[in-house]
Amino acid sequence: MTALLATSDPVLLEFAELVRTEGKVAVEGNRTRWDVGGMLDAEARVLSAPEGIVDYKPDEMTAVVRAGTTVAELHAALAEKGQRSALPERGGTVGGALAVGESDFRSLGRGLIRTCLLQIRYVSAEGRIISSGGPTVKNVSGFDLPRLMVGSLGTLGLMAEAIIRTNPIPPASQWLSAPGVPTRVVADAVLAPSSLYEHEGTTWVQIEGHAADVTAEIAVLKNSGDFDEVDAPDETQRPAPAPKIAVDAVVSALNDQIKRNFDPDGRLNPGRDVLAA
Amino acid sequence: MLERLRALRGGESETSGDPAIDALRAVLGDRAKLDSARQALHSHDASVFEDGNSGPVCYPETTAEVQAIVRIAREHQRSIVPRGAGTGLAGGAIPLGAPVVVAVTRMNEIFEIDEDKRVAWVGPGVINLDLTRQLQPRGYHFAPDPSSQQVCTIGGNVGNNAGGPHCLAYGVTNAHIVAMEVVLPNGEVAMLGSVDGETLGYDLRGVFVGSEGTLGIVTKVAVRLTKNRPEVRTLLLSFDSVTDAAQTVSDIIADGIVPAALEVMDHKITVAVENFVNAGYPRDAAAVLLAEVDGLSAGVDIDAERIGEIGLSNGATDVRLAGSEEERALLWKGRKTAFGAIAQIAPDYYLHDTVVPRSALAGVLEQIYEIADRYELIIMNVFHAGDGNLHPLIVFDGREPGVLDRVHAAGGEIITASLEAGGVLSGEHGIGVEKQKFMNLLFTDDDLDHQNRLRQAFDPGCRTNPGKVMPVGHSCADIQSLKRRPTGVWG
């Protein structure tokens, strides 16, 4: 019998055909983080992943989306039903965001990007479509390949379609800022800020929830520091993604072994190195 | 399955003369055990699966000791099986082929609670509920709360990516493990993840969680601290049908509310629970829904009221708000002791674990009741409805001839029905030995081949918890050490 996770979607099968079974091949999204992990080998053929929202079930809090779809398009569709996801909103595609693996600067409220990928279908170095994960949040059904894909820079497989976990947009939101309040003070004062960071001497906080709770938390914050209600931070006021932390030789060797096992000929996104990101 | 396990057993082990034991005792002293009672004890977990066969049982206290055990096992070409409290329900900790069993229960120190980083460094043997009790006075808790939380270990939670009722809002164990120190199958120590931010490279922390002890042995864990919610509202809704309760759950989520927990119990289990703990559950309802919201005071009242309205619009016959902390605690005691309560009905039970999309809950439950009738079995349902995580509970008397065959056949049909409804094999118990043969229903050979590639990057020799997760026909599904067993061990 056919495995239940097998796909017969002609769009995905066509993408697998394009990847072929040999030759260097890479995938591009909107190139918003194009240089992460090193320069792409110039010999590589550059493909675009398929596009489109395949299925969105607000009451399941899941969206099936092809990797080439922009995060903006996905989030616009989600917003119509009062939802959003942990994917960062900075102009890129779903596949690009997952491959780079950087969380949104409001990840305290939206979740880390690595927690939003429930299922992935990718094309392997052998040109086969591989599926892992499922449409549910709870899932311990074999090895968790979706975790391996987030932040992989497309070096283990070329992502074709994802199931993304969605979340409701809280009814009310307010940003506040204050000069030089330690983030620990804010974290202790309020229950669960949706964003909290320091940027060039200013402490930024986003409070979300029911309107009355947001009002109460604003009062708490104003008691703990010189906070004012402000507009959401513009791009110059957002924190740059923190540099990733280097790993030791043992973990490096494990990374190299995984790459060899998934892509023995080094044909997927050649030039990119997750250890150099 | 059972036949295969019996075939793998290959005879009784002797209680002495194991060639690895002297080297293990040189490192661990009398914390390396080789006696028949202990081996028998560690040949089981909380599942119905038997035919495990333990070699020496080790109780390390430090990372260096775990490392030494792994190296000794390698030298003797023996496989290893990590073990926490042995509360697993899928047979993941059952030793196959007389491996060295590494019980981490003595590694139960809480090393550091770092409130700045909101993490605690703990040993893998720390008990889930003990950790939360230690964190409570500081205003935090560890969010995953499996029903076995009074005895299960953090190491076991990592191994199985444990869940529990409160995963709906807070996420499963994977979302609460920030970093881990592990001993790899080659004996080297690795730090996966970091408490200071994201690390370079693949998310090895993420893939290790839920790998059922096949990628190495976790020796230290940095868990995320979750701030306690100041306000909690717990509602008990009664229904004339399980379908109405399931529809209420779907409608609550569609309404934009993500409660801390949404738990459903059907009539049979509710009566059993009520007989057992007298928690105030209605004995005449076809299903009850336990709904909990937490957070700040205004929001929890708004959400609780809205949940009540949604319940009533779906035909709830009663909506009750727990009026006190005592009442709330009693309701939860009822829910969490459900599996103990069934002892009054029959001496044995088999607890299943599948996940389906919420919209499929009612349909799959109907199929489960039909399967129960056909196999003349009692099946009760108590489950994490908000996650679509079903826990059909088959109760039976193992002394009845042939009953276990019916239990397994009915279980197989439940799994198939869940998968065909778009669900997955397991939500929180794992694959272990229980669901290996169902992996092919869900995954293609290519899918499984890629899972194997990950496993083999960690453990090319298939020495760490072999014979688990991957189905027969894939590497690491067979018990390597049996093929290379040292002469004399099995007499």
Side-chain angles (χ1 to χ4, degrees):
Chain A
M1 64 164 283
T2 310
L4 288 158
L5 270 184
T7 180
S8 56
D9 182 348
V11 175
L12 302 189
L13 297 174
E14 189 189 339
F15 181 55
E17 287 288 317
L18 287 173
V19 175
R20 299 184 204 154
T21 55
E22 42 188 61
K24 293 178 178 177
V25 59
V27 67
E28 66 176 346
N30 283 356
R31 300 200 177 204
T32 55
R33 287 285 187 277
W34 189 241
D35 295 331
V36 175
M39 294 292 286
L40 182 68
D41 186 329
E43 280 178 40
R45 284 182 301 125
V46 180
L47 305 176
S48 293
E51 295 174 28
I53 299 168
V54 180
D55 192 14
Y56 169 37
K57 295 194 177 85
D59 62 338
E60 300 290 351
M61 296 200 295
T62 55
V64 184
V65 60
R66 295 193 186 117
T69 315
T70 63
V71 174
E73 182 188 339
L74 174 64
H75 280 188
L78 303 185
E80 282 180 23
K81 301 290 182 187
Q83 295 188 342
R84 64 188 183 191
S85 81
L87 293 169
E89 294 174 342
R90 52 176 165 242
T93 61
V94 171
L98 292 170
V100 172
E102 282 172 14
S103 293
D104 193 273
F105 73 108
R106 298 155 296 188
S107 65
L108 288 175
R110 293 166 180 237
L112 294 169
I113 187 170
R114 66 186 186 217
T115 64
C116 83
L117 181 61
L118 301 181
Q119 177 181 297
I120 191 69
R121 295 189 199 279
Y122 60 89
V123 180
S124 71
E126 292 82 14
R128 311 286 292 179
I129 296 177
I130 308 296
S131 306
S132 181
T136 61
V137 171
K138 275 191 183 168
N139 186 1
V140 198
S141 305
F143 293 90
D144 201 350
L145 300 182
R147 301 286 76 73
L148 203 54
M149 288 296 134
V150 178
S152 67
L153 298 175
T155 57
L156 304 178
L158 303 187
M159 286 186 265
E161 181 197 271
I163 299 184
I164 299 294
R165 182 187 189 178
T166 66
N167 283 297
I169 298 171
S173 165
Q174 181 62 55
W175 280 92
L176 297 98
S177 71
V181 179
T183 53
R184 167 79 192 269
V185 170
V186 177
D188 286 347
V190 296
L191 178 61
S194 290
S195 189
L196 171 58
Y197 62 91
E198 206 176 321
H199 181 67
E200 294 177 355
T202 300
T203 306
W204 293 82
V205 192
Q206 185 188 24
I207 305 292
E208 295 183 304
H210 285 287
D213 289 335
V214 172
T215 303
E217 293 284 68
I218 290 170
V220 169
L221 273 178
K222 287 187 169 179
N223 281 335
S224 69
D226 196 14
F227 276 100
D228 283 320
E229 288 115 312
V230 292
D231 290 339
D234 63 31
E235 285 188 18
T236 66
Q237 296 164 320
R238 296 174 190 179
K244 291 191 173 180
I245 295 159
V247 295
D248 63 25
V250 173
V251 176
S252 291
L254 256 181
N255 274 272
D256 292 342
Q257 189 61 52
I258 289 171
K259 171 67 177 174
R260 280 196 295 277
N261 286 8
F262 279 75
D263 182 18
D265 298 328
R267 61 181 300 251
L268 303 177
N269 277 295
R272 310 291 198 205
D273 180 358
V274 287
L275 293 172
Chain B
M1 175 69 67
L2 289 176
E3 289 69 27
R4 192 171 77 81
L5 290 181
R6 277 188 198 106
L8 290 168
R9 189 171 184 173
E12 299 296 322
S13 68
E14 298 285 354
T15 57
S16 63
D18 189 302
I21 189 65
D22 289 341
L24 291 168
R25 283 196 176 131
V27 174
L28 298 168
D30 65 358
R31 287 183 283 113
K33 311 277 191 187
L34 192 69
D35 60 81
S36 56
R38 194 163 310 261
Q39 285 170 294
L41 185 69
H42 287 78
S43 293
H44 296 85
D45 60 10
S47 70
V48 300
F49 296 96
E50 297 193 349
D51 303 277
N53 182 13
S54 166
V57 180
C58 300
Y59 297 90
E61 292 180 347
T62 64
T63 303
E65 287 180 354
V66 173
Q67 193 173 25
I69 294 165
V70 170
R71 286 181 169 156
I72 290 165
R74 273 173 70 84
E75 282 161 21
H76 288 83
Q77 298 190 329
R78 300 290 287 274
S79 54
I80 55 169
V81 175
R83 183 183 177 95
T87 57
L89 289 159
I94 291 181
L96 302 175
V100 176
V101 172
V102 185
V104 297
T105 42
R106 292 176 73 111
M107 302 177 77
N108 59 354
E109 191 177 339
I110 296 175
F111 298 102
E112 185 188 2
I113 298 174
D114 183 338
E115 293 188 51
D116 276 328
K117 293 176 181 163
R118 290 275 171 89
V119 297
W121 277 105
V122 307
V126 170
I127 290 169
N128 176 299
L129 190 60
D130 285 352
L131 173 58
T132 279
R133 283 187 178 137
Q134 293 291 317
L135 297 173
Q136 285 289 358
R138 298 171 186 248
Y140 303 101
H141 65 285
F142 180 59
D145 61 338
S147 290
S148 55
Q149 72 178 136
Q150 294 187 30
V151 283
C152 67
T153 63
I154 298 299
N157 294 169
V158 167
N160 275 15
N161 196 8
H166 289 87
C167 288
L168 177 55
Y170 295 102
V172 290
T173 296
N174 210 329
H176 299 277
I177 305 300
V178 183
M180 281 180 290
E181 179 194 78
V182 303
V183 175
L184 297 170
N186 66 7
E188 289 183 299
V189 178
M191 181 64 73
L192 310 181
S194 167
V195 297
D196 294 315
E198 299 288 322
T199 52
L200 286 171
Y202 304 117
D203 182 9
L204 304 185
R205 174 212 60 83
V207 296
F208 198 99
V209 177
S211 61
E212 303 193 45
T214 62
L215 302 184
I217 302 180
V218 59
T219 47
K220 266 183 199 165
V221 192
V223 300
R224 189 179 301 286
L225 310 183
T226 300
K227 213 170 176 182
N228 295 340
R229 268 46 185 163
E231 298 289 338
V232 182
R233 300 287 181 274
T234 306
L235 293 114
L236 181 65
L237 295 87
S238 308
F239 295 90
D240 280 338
S241 80
V242 177
T243 305
D244 290 347
Q247 189 59 47
T248 300
V249 168
S250 272
D251 289 353
I252 289 167
I253 301 293
D255 202 62
I257 302 171
V258 182
L262 280 173
E263 300 283 305
V264 168
M265 298 197 291
D266 71 5
H267 175 71
K268 283 185 178 136
I269 192 76
T270 305
V271 170
V273 162
E274 198 51 25
N275 289 342
F276 189 52
V277 292
N278 213 1
Y281 283 110
R283 291 169 187 274
D284 55 351
V288 297
L289 168 62
L290 192 61
E292 186 160 282
V293 290
D294 63 12
L296 295 163
S297 60
V300 293
D301 284 337
I302 293 167
D303 287 346
E305 193 179 333
R306 186 71 193 123
I307 288 169
E309 287 168 9
I310 292 168
L312 290 171
S313 72
N314 279 302
T317 54
D318 187 41
V319 176
R320 203 174 95 206
L321 181 70
S324 65
E325 180 55 33
E326 290 70 33
E327 194 179 348
R328 175 182 172 266
L330 203 54
L331 288 174
W332 274 112
K333 185 178 174 193
R335 166 61 186 87
K336 290 210 173 183
T337 54
F339 305 131
I342 54 91
Q344 59 192 290
I345 297 164
D348 301 300
Y349 70 80
Y350 188 145
L351 180 65
H352 272 274
D353 167 47
T354 66
V355 193
V356 299
R358 270 179 292 271
S359 56
L361 274 174
V364 174
L365 282 165
E366 255 173 51
Q367 285 178 272
I368 290 171
Y369 291 122
E370 184 273 322
I371 292 165
D373 285 347
R374 200 150 32 80
Y375 284 98
E376 297 176 3
L377 291 166
I378 299 171
I379 301 188
M380 303 177 166
N381 281 288
V382 44
F383 55 98
H384 311 308
D387 294 310
N389 189 184
L390 287 165
H391 282 321
L393 183 66
I394 308 178
V395 294
F396 62 98
D397 185 341
R399 293 167 297 188
E400 188 188 318
V403 69
L404 206 55
D405 291 338
R406 274 162 39 225
V407 167
H408 283 295
E413 288 201 28
I414 289 170
I415 292 166
T416 306
S418 300
L419 293 181
E420 285 175 350
V424 301
L425 282 167
S426 168
E428 49 193 16
H429 297 176
I431 302 299
V433 298
E434 180 193 21
K435 287 176 175 164
Q436 284 169 306
K437 67 179 175 184
F438 298 100
M439 292 282 275
N440 290 308
L441 285 180
L442 192 56
F443 298 111
T444 66
D445 282 347
D446 286 334
D447 299 340
L448 292 170
D449 169 51
H450 268 230
Q451 294 191 25
N452 244 331
R453 294 182 194 207
L454 169 65
R455 180 181 186 158
Q456 299 227 325
F458 280 80
D459 186 18
C462 297
R463 297 196 176 281
T464 309
N465 210 3
K468 309 290 170 61
V469 187
M470 300 307 287
V472 174
H474 289 266
S475 58
C476 294
D478 304 319
I479 314 302
Q480 301 292 320
S481 58
L482 257 190
K483 294 178 186 160
R484 303 179 201 169
R485 66 188 181 197
T487 48
V489 176
W490 283 278

